[in-house]
Amino acid sequence: MKRLLYIFIMVLALAGCATTERIPDGEQLYLGIKSIKYETAQEHAHHNATVHDASASGSAATTSAHSADSNEEPGVIASIADAYEKVQGLISGNLTETADIHQLKEKRRSELTREERKLLAIHEQAEAEALATAKEEIDAALAYEPNGALFGSSMWTTPWKFGLWTYNHYADSPTRFGRWMFRKFGEQPVLISTVAPQTRAKIATNTLHNYGYFRGNVDYSIVESRDPKASRLAYHVTTGPVFHLDSIEYRSFGAKADSLIAASNTKPLLRSGDAFSVVNLNAEQTRIENIMRENGYYYWSPSYTTFQADTIAVPGYVQLRVLPKAGIPDEALTPYVIGDTHITIRDEKGSPLDHHLTSRRGTTYLWSGETMPAKPRLWRSAITHRRGRPFRQSDQAATISKLAALGILSSIDVNYTPHDTTALCDTLDIYINATMGRPYDSSFEVNATLKSSQQLGPGVRYELAKRNAFRGGETVAWDIYGSYEWQLGRRRTDAKGILNSFELGSSAKIEIPRFVFPFVSRRRLRFPSTTKFEIEADWKNRSGFFQMFDFGADITYNWQKGRFKHEWDAIDLDYYKLNNTTPAFDEIVEANPAIYASMRNIFVPSIGYSMIFASHNSATASTTNSSYWLQLTAKEAGNVTDVLHRVCYPKHEAGTPRTIFGSHFAQFVKTTAEVHYTHPFNDRFTLATRAFGGIIVSYGGNDAAPYAEQFYIGGANSIRAFTVRTAGPGGYRTPNAKYAYIDQTGDFKLEANAELRARLVGSLHGAVFLDAGNVWLLKKDPLRPDAELLAANLRRIALGTGLGIRYDLDFLILRFDVGIGLHAPYDTGRRGFYNFERFRDGVAYHFAIGYPF
């Protein structure tokens, strides 16, 4: 073992040496970015004065500085830098200082009037927002990973660059092993010339100009290391003053286009006083394009809107004119209506197209084989355009979205072509080319679980689905799953230690890509929608305790309109039957009847609704704009069943519980609200917050809601200082660990979380978090004291903090959090706010996938 360790240390030592022996003459190995320094105009002037004084006194420089205006070095991104010249044309002219603002900045705050302070605050806020957005793009333009980059960082590297050492050591190896090492592990050196710092500085300078820093400039310097053939890069960003928009005038659009722009309910993105930004100019071009295309102008392009900028009339400001481009083609100025629709349907084999059909609505279908692969009704419901009506961009987007949502096509191509070639043509025909996907899908999953209760076992699941089952886009799926577990360690109760617990289940569902509902299913809805019918059965055997059968059926409607997602469980029926209980389980429920009330034989007929709203940028990693996400849910169970029971059995004996199929039926109302708010401070730090509230009220002879519907706290996505179901309700602390996780649930829940997230190195992120919350009971339970929702018990809050690390793999986030308890809601025997008896009692570890919220 010691020999292996010695060899490993020697390999690491060698990997840290001899990394530049194959660097060509005149080249240098790129070691990464040493720094990216940002300076304002005043800081830059002071810096230059200091450097001048140092030079006059004979000090020597240790770095070689280069400007973005020097001779350009070759590089892989040289072509991108051509955009620099285009912006120069826009901002050409003699730019003067923003004298008024600079005079305000040079004054003391106490010398400013209220109006001057307000004006200065507006400018400072605009400058901060502009710089934050520009800084993100500048850092991205300058970033380049060196050999051995640590988590994708441009500044930090591993101390031992094994791939680079392998490249140098085995580049010309005559042995088979050497060639294999070179091929498998060799990493080609990243050279300064490959990074092309001058080109990157030029692109970064262009980015500054794009965001209104017309005097901004980016320089770089090569920082020598002890090895003359290896260097780092240091970038120096001088921002200069940011220019603001003064007057904005729309000209020469013509009467009809001008009225459409004026009547649009979308707000202009160019506002007087905002910092000048080419990004906003591009966004305004897109806004005008959307307005025109929504009103029939199919061929209108963003480039048909141009700008004229005057940066001289008002110092520090840009007077802007928005006007149409000269020489716009006639087709772009023609409003079009929808004509015929032509649909070509190909199979996955590319068979010849030998059948066609023309409907009375002017739709032509062309396909191969005797039977049309998808019924005409499916295409009519997916295409939201109407013949004879104006072309609308929203119809185009909805059509593409609904066709993609069908899930039966492997490729879709939608084109719009003039009906004829005459100059007076104002009709567009739709051409849809679609290729059918594979009819069958199947999946097989295998997993293994190891629970904290020392239960270990595998599980399997198999699903088979047929798409477009009845040629209407329907998906029919069936799956079967099973798992079993052994009890390990001292808790094992059986003599042989064979199979302890198992679960078997199966479900069948059919999903239809439209609403199946009276007076709705055949309508041409302008948004994607689905209807799902599902039945399922599940058999659980918990060896030594009980067996439970679960039968269910539900009808669910899903649809999305804009940023709102909706789900309606129109019918959701579940029946739970408890069988073969053991004396051990009977002892547990006898000690706590609330457990039995939530796990007894019960029928749960329910109706539910869920709505999700997300801001435009909630799904993006924006570093400049805050985002929010809101979910509201409502669910009721048993009310309709109770009314039907009263109608069918009007002489039911008062005071006795009503039953159906020989079992009680649940009656409850449950509502929840959850909101997420994310605020980025800059490109490195982001504050993420979450608030959750929920309540479930049981009635009609039900002392408690079904166990699966109750609330709990703890775990990787809740209060991370506590594991799942180890705190609450209220100040209750279970005296019996044998069923602790069962009775630590409640009817009312409040929870709040805050997390400061930081980008550490490359794709590695860190977080500091604070979690608080608890669950309470709505009804008093003598066996669970201090658990009822009372004003005195609201102070019983579980509070925890902690640290976490996350690694971003682009397609998923790996997360490890360590929760540290600050306050337990129950009596621990220790006085004071921090009331954990031992520090380790308040520590919990969580490994999870994705962010907690």
Side-chain angles (χ1 to χ4, degrees):
M1 184 66 184
K2 292 183 178 179
R3 182 176 297 178
L4 291 176
L5 181 60
Y6 174 76
I7 294 175
F8 178 70
I9 293 175
M10 288 297 295
V11 169
L12 292 181
L14 288 173
C17 305
T19 57
T20 60
E21 65 181 40
R22 292 188 179 273
I23 300 299
D25 293 337
E27 295 280 5
Q28 286 183 307
L29 179 67
Y30 169 65
L31 297 179
I33 296 176
K34 180 177 177 59
S35 64
I36 301 177
K37 185 178 180 181
Y38 286 82
E39 285 187 332
T40 63
Q42 294 84 350
E43 293 171 338
H44 183 61
H46 176 73
H47 172 75
N48 285 344
T50 303
V51 171
H52 177 74
D53 292 341
S55 300
S57 61
S59 60
T62 59
T63 61
S64 55
H66 304 265
S67 170
D69 299 327
S70 309
N71 292 332
E72 183 177 345
E73 296 182 1
V76 294
I77 57 173
S79 59
I80 305 177
D82 293 340
Y84 177 74
E85 303 300 333
K86 297 180 180 179
V87 177
Q88 295 300 317
L90 176 65
I91 64 174
S92 58
N94 296 321
L95 304 179
T96 59
E97 283 287 340
T98 53
D100 295 339
I101 296 298
H102 279 283
Q103 290 176 2
L104 294 180
K105 289 182 178 180
E106 292 173 357
K107 290 183 179 180
R108 295 180 180 179
R109 291 280 178 175
S110 58
E111 298 176 353
L112 299 176
T113 65
R114 183 177 179 181
E115 290 74 15
E116 289 175 335
R117 287 197 299 268
K118 183 178 180 180
L119 177 62
L120 185 59
I122 293 175
H123 278 265
E124 289 177 346
Q125 180 181 359
E127 289 179 3
E129 293 176 352
L131 182 58
T133 305
K135 186 175 182 296
E136 180 182 2
E137 293 191 21
I138 291 171
D139 289 348
L142 300 179
Y144 200 97
E145 293 183 20
N147 293 107
L150 188 62
F151 301 110
S153 172
S154 297
M155 294 186 175
W156 300 93
T157 63
T158 58
W160 301 285
K161 300 174 178 60
F162 180 73
L164 190 56
W165 174 82
T166 303
Y167 178 89
N168 283 278
H169 190 71
Y170 292 106
D172 299 321
S173 177
T175 66
R176 178 178 298 180
F177 173 78
R179 292 192 297 270
W180 176 83
M181 285 286 294
F182 180 81
R183 185 174 62 255
K184 292 294 184 181
F185 302 106
E187 183 179 342
Q188 187 172 357
V190 178
L191 305 177
I192 293 288
S193 61
T194 304
V195 179
Q198 184 171 347
T199 301
R200 293 183 179 277
K202 191 173 184 179
I203 293 173
T205 300
N206 180 42
T207 302
L208 281 173
H209 295 172
N210 285 346
Y211 284 95
Y213 295 93
F214 295 156
R215 287 208 175 90
N217 186 55
V218 179
D219 299 328
Y220 75 95
S221 59
I222 297 178
V223 183
E224 305 291 345
S225 68
R226 289 178 297 179
D227 188 341
K229 283 197 171 184
S231 299
R232 289 180 173 272
L233 291 174
Y235 291 97
H236 183 206
V237 182
T238 305
T239 61
V242 61
F243 279 63
H244 298 265
L245 292 177
D246 183 26
S247 60
I248 304 161
E249 183 182 6
Y250 291 79
R251 279 191 175 189
S252 307
F253 273 98
K256 190 168 184 179
D258 189 66
S259 63
L260 290 176
I261 295 173
S264 172
N265 57 5
T266 59
K267 296 181 179 180
L269 301 177
L270 304 176
R271 296 182 296 270
S272 180
D274 286 355
F276 177 89
S277 170
V278 171
V279 175
N280 287 343
L281 298 186
N282 294 336
E284 182 67 7
Q285 287 178 317
T286 301
R287 187 185 76 92
I288 294 175
E289 178 205 21
N290 293 338
I291 294 172
M292 300 297 287
R293 284 172 56 83
E294 187 66 16
N295 290 274
Y297 294 87
Y298 173 73
Y299 288 102
W300 188 275
S301 169
S303 61
Y304 294 158
T305 301
T306 61
F307 305 92
Q308 291 180 351
D310 184 352
T311 59
I312 301 177
V314 181
Y317 285 87
V318 178
Q319 292 185 343
L320 196 67
R321 290 179 180 176
V322 186
L323 62 165
K325 177 182 178 181
I328 297 178
D330 293 338
E331 61 183 13
L333 301 175
T334 302
Y336 286 88
V337 298
I338 297 299
D340 298 332
T341 301
H342 305 271
I343 302 175
T344 302
I345 312 169
R346 303 179 185 275
D347 59 23
E348 58 180 1
K349 300 178 182 179
S351 303
L353 303 172
D354 50 12
H355 285 77
H356 74 278
L357 171 68
T358 301
S359 68
R360 292 176 299 176
R361 295 181 172 89
T363 303
T364 301
Y365 303 90
L366 188 62
W367 72 93
S368 60
E370 295 294 331
T371 305
M372 186 185 300
K375 296 178 181 179
R377 182 181 65 181
L378 176 68
W379 302 100
R380 290 198 303 268
S381 64
I383 300 172
T384 57
H385 293 289
R386 301 293 181 88
R387 189 182 189 189
R389 295 189 179 180
F391 166 86
R392 293 200 300 177
Q393 182 172 258
S394 59
D395 284 337
Q396 180 186 19
T399 297
I400 295 174
S401 177
K402 295 185 70 173
L403 287 172
L406 294 176
I408 64 172
L409 304 174
S410 63
S411 66
I412 311 165
D413 186 22
V414 182
N415 294 297
Y416 300 83
T417 304
H419 186 73
D420 55 55
T421 58
T422 62
L424 299 178
C425 178
D426 63 351
T427 302
L428 290 176
D429 290 343
I430 306 173
Y431 288 83
I432 299 177
N433 291 284
T435 302
M436 302 297 298
R438 294 183 177 180
Y440 288 96
D441 279 340
S442 64
S443 63
F444 182 72
E445 300 177 7
V446 179
N447 60 71
T449 58
L450 175 61
K451 299 181 179 179
S452 59
S453 58
Q454 292 186 315
Q455 288 182 314
L456 171 67
V460 295
R461 175 184 291 269
Y462 176 76
E463 182 178 32
L464 177 66
K466 179 174 174 55
R467 302 188 182 277
N468 198 33
F470 309 111
R471 298 190 300 117
E474 306 88 353
T475 298
V476 177
W478 169 79
D479 78 332
I480 184 171
Y481 56 89
S483 64
Y484 63 89
E485 298 170 350
W486 289 284
Q487 185 72 57
L488 304 176
R490 300 177 183 177
R491 298 185 182 183
R492 190 172 62 195
T493 58
D494 61 319
K496 299 180 179 179
I498 311 179
L499 181 65
N500 290 124
S501 303
F502 65 83
E503 180 177 2
L504 294 174
S506 182
S507 68
K509 66 180 179 181
I510 176 172
E511 189 170 304
I512 303 172
R514 62 180 181 278
F515 276 159
V516 180
F517 200 82
F519 311 110
V520 177
S521 60
R522 292 182 179 272
R523 291 183 57 188
R524 289 189 176 185
L525 301 177
R526 295 173 54 82
F527 49 84
S529 59
T530 61
T531 304
K532 183 181 69 174
F533 301 88
E534 183 175 10
I535 57 174
E536 58 183 346
D538 184 83
W539 175 26
K540 296 183 179 71
N541 177 75
R542 296 295 178 254
S543 181
F545 292 99
F546 61 86
Q547 290 184 1
M548 177 175 282
F549 296 91
D550 172 17
F551 304 94
D554 64 85
I555 303 175
T556 305
Y557 298 91
N558 289 276
W559 69 99
Q560 180 173 353
K561 295 184 67 175
R563 290 179 285 167
F564 290 88
K565 294 182 180 179
H566 307 267
E567 180 176 300
W568 175 34
D569 288 322
I571 299 176
D572 190 354
L573 307 176
D574 286 289
Y575 178 66
Y576 301 93
K577 184 172 179 58
L578 190 64
N579 276 353
N580 301 330
T581 61
T582 65
F585 181 78
D586 295 338
E587 180 186 349
I588 293 175
V589 298
E590 184 179 352
N592 195 333
I595 297 177
Y596 176 73
S598 64
M599 299 183 69
R600 65 184 176 177
N601 298 347
I602 195 167
F603 178 61
V604 186
S606 63
I607 299 174
Y609 169 76
S610 171
M611 184 273 291
I612 296 177
F613 173 81
S615 60
H616 281 301
N617 54 331
S618 61
T620 63
S622 173
T623 61
T624 56
N625 298 316
S626 301
S627 63
Y628 53 90
W629 179 93
L630 172 67
Q631 181 181 41
L632 303 175
T633 69
K635 186 176 184 179
E636 71 82 22
N639 292 323
V640 176
T641 305
D642 183 67
V643 171
L644 294 177
H645 194 280
R646 292 177 185 275
V647 172
C648 296
Y649 301 96
K651 298 182 180 181
H652 181 80
E653 183 178 350
T656 60
R658 296 177 181 273
T659 61
I660 187 170
F661 305 131
S663 299
H664 296 272
F665 58 86
Q667 283 187 269
F668 64 82
V669 173
K670 179 180 181 180
T671 61
T672 67
E674 183 174 2
V675 61
H676 301 175
Y677 177 76
T678 304
H679 176 73
F681 295 107
N682 49 46
D683 63 332
R684 184 172 291 273
F685 293 99
T686 299
L687 177 66
T689 59
R690 168 184 174 267
F692 179 92
I695 184 172
I696 182 168
V697 181
S698 303
Y699 50 89
N702 294 273
D703 295 328
Y707 183 74
E709 299 290 344
Q710 297 181 21
F711 300 108
Y712 63 88
I713 61 170
N717 298 323
S718 181
I719 303 176
R720 284 160 280 186
F722 299 82
T723 55
V724 176
R725 297 187 183 92
T726 56
Y732 170 71
R733 186 178 189 183
T734 177
N736 193 336
K738 181 166 53 176
Y739 56 94
Y741 72 95
I742 297 180
D743 61 354
Q744 297 202 253
T745 58
D747 308 314
F748 181 80
K749 177 178 179 178
L750 289 177
E751 187 173 293
N753 314 84
E755 187 170 274
L756 180 62
R757 299 169 181 169
R759 180 172 58 85
L760 301 178
V761 178
S763 300
L764 185 66
H765 300 250
V768 179
F769 53 83
L770 182 69
D771 305 320
N774 205 347
V775 294
W776 292 267
L777 301 178
L778 296 181
K779 299 178 182 178
K780 186 175 182 179
D781 185 352
L783 297 178
R784 289 187 283 181
D786 298 324
E788 189 178 4
L789 181 63
L790 299 174
N793 282 337
L794 282 176
R795 63 182 176 83
R796 300 185 180 274
I797 296 293
L799 180 65
T801 185
L803 303 171
I805 58 173
R806 295 87 195 272
Y807 188 69
D808 189 353
L809 296 175
D810 291 335
F811 57 92
L812 60 84
I813 305 289
L814 300 179
R815 173 166 60 97
F816 178 72
D817 290 336
V818 179
I820 302 173
L822 298 177
H823 182 76
Y826 45 79
D827 183 12
T828 64
R830 179 173 178 174
R831 301 176 62 85
F833 182 78
Y834 182 83
N835 58 353
F836 289 93
E837 298 178 75
R838 296 171 299 181
F839 178 78
R840 65 181 184 182
D841 294 339
V843 178
Y845 305 94
H846 306 280
F847 180 78
I849 303 296
Y851 286 110
F853 49 87

